[in-house]
Amino acid sequence: FPNRALDGIKLRITAGPTREAIDPVRYISNHSSGKMGFALAAAAADAGAQVTLISGPVNLATPERVSRIDVSSAQDMYDASLADLQDCDIFIACAAVADYRPSEAVTQKIKKSADTLTLTLVRNPDIVSSVANSPQRPFTVGFAAETQDVLHYARDKLQRKKLDMIIANDVANTDIGFNSDDNRVVALWNGGEHAFDTMSKAQLSRRLIALIAEHFRTERD
Ligand code: PMT
């Protein structure tokens, strides 16, 4: 990074999927690989930030100079994300957090019996929205993974979750988004937006970190 744009800045990133236990051997999850969040963590560390990566279960090596906290469920990710928020200047929510979890995680393996099985799900807490609405409030960036009306839903999430910036990710196309090495996104903030071309998640992360650093400085100065 030419100018070490985030020297000394404390940055937290969530990455990967969460797992919501159904019973001791089964869970609900999604296709997030963690690649996007890990690439952002690497780019932020290169820019001089002190990075804490809060990661769901993924198969990736921790980037250099990044400290990592491994979590499994959305509730675990929430607890790690909200802890000691006064030590966080910038929060980036890249994780694909399960919106719902089974209402009870039973302690014994569910046995096969009837032809149908009904699971009751309850809402998980919204991590990025809780961070953005906390008294300590770091500069807060969310992602929006959408399969239709991507920019419309992303703007809606920017306002509703009271974020400083949102990264709109069209996940209908399997060449970009979940588990791919490349991505194409649009960054949106109040009063502006920037569309990035398709590029590797590593390259894109450097561009996104530069953009986030610029907005963070403007807001703070
Ligand atoms: O991990 P990869 O395979 O590299 O894929 C990258 C990605 C597609 C997962 C990533 O680029 C991405 O889009 N992440 C956000 C996925 C998501 O769950 O989006 P959402 O639109 O459902 O959620 C909106 C925002 O709220 C996100 O910042 C999410 O982290 C956050 N959220 C959602 C639910 C919840 N309970 N708590 C949250 O903090």
Side-chain angles (χ1 to χ4, degrees):
F1 248 84
N3 54 359
R4 305 268 298 171
L6 291 177
D7 239 339
I9 297 300
K10 293 179 183 145
L11 192 144
R12 239 174 241 192
I13 302 181
T14 67
T18 65
R19 284 184 186 170
E20 310 302 319
I22 297 171
D23 71 11
V25 298
R26 305 181 177 96
Y27 56 81
I28 297 173
S29 193
N30 60 66
H31 293 295
S32 171
S33 63
K35 286 177 187 171
M36 189 69 228
F38 276 56
L40 282 166
D46 282 349
Q50 293 174 38
V51 182
T52 303
L53 181 57
I54 301 170
S55 179
V58 298
N59 247 313
L60 296 173
T62 310
E64 277 173 47
R65 299 180 309 279
V66 166
S67 44
R68 170 168 171 182
I69 300 173
D70 284 314
V71 296
S72 181
S73 66
Q75 185 63 53
D76 295 343
M77 189 174 274
Y78 176 93
D79 292 343
S81 298
L82 273 287
D84 304 318
L85 258 192
Q86 69 281 359
D87 286 336
C88 175
D89 302 305
I90 301 178
F91 186 89
I92 305 177
C94 188
V97 185
D99 289 321
Y100 293 89
R101 67 174 182 277
S103 59
E104 47 171 343
V106 295
T107 52
Q108 302 299 329
K109 185 181 171 194
I110 298 173
K111 303 305 282 180
K112 191 165 36 180
S113 52
D115 284 345
T116 62
L117 172 68
T118 304
L119 281 177
T120 302
L121 305 180
V122 294
R123 280 281 288 271
N124 273 326
D126 192 299
I127 300 167
V128 75
S129 163
S130 305
V131 168
N133 287 286
S134 71
Q136 297 90 344
R137 196 178 197 288
F139 185 88
T140 310
V141 181
F143 272 71
E146 307 289 351
T147 53
Q148 55 174 339
D149 294 336
V150 179
L151 296 184
H152 170 78
Y153 285 122
R155 278 241 173 253
D156 180 58
K157 283 180 183 171
L158 176 73
Q159 311 297 349
R160 205 158 27 86
K161 301 192 185 208
K162 297 197 171 61
L163 308 178
D164 293 292
M165 189 182 287
I166 195 152
I167 315 300
N169 204 162
D170 185 340
V171 291
N173 179 345
T174 52
D175 295 341
I176 56 172
F178 285 101
N179 200 23
S180 55
D181 290 324
D182 293 340
N183 205 358
R184 187 178 63 238
V185 301
V186 181
L188 309 160
W189 56 91
N190 270 326
E193 62 183 69
H194 184 95
F196 293 90
D197 292 333
T198 305
M199 60 186 97
S200 72
K201 285 179 177 172
Q203 264 180 306
L204 176 63
S205 292
R206 297 170 86 83
R207 304 274 302 272
L208 285 174
I209 290 296
L211 183 71
I212 290 166
E214 188 188 313
H215 281 251
F216 168 70
R217 299 255 170 236
T218 315
E219 193 149 305
R220 215 175 53 162
D221 294 343

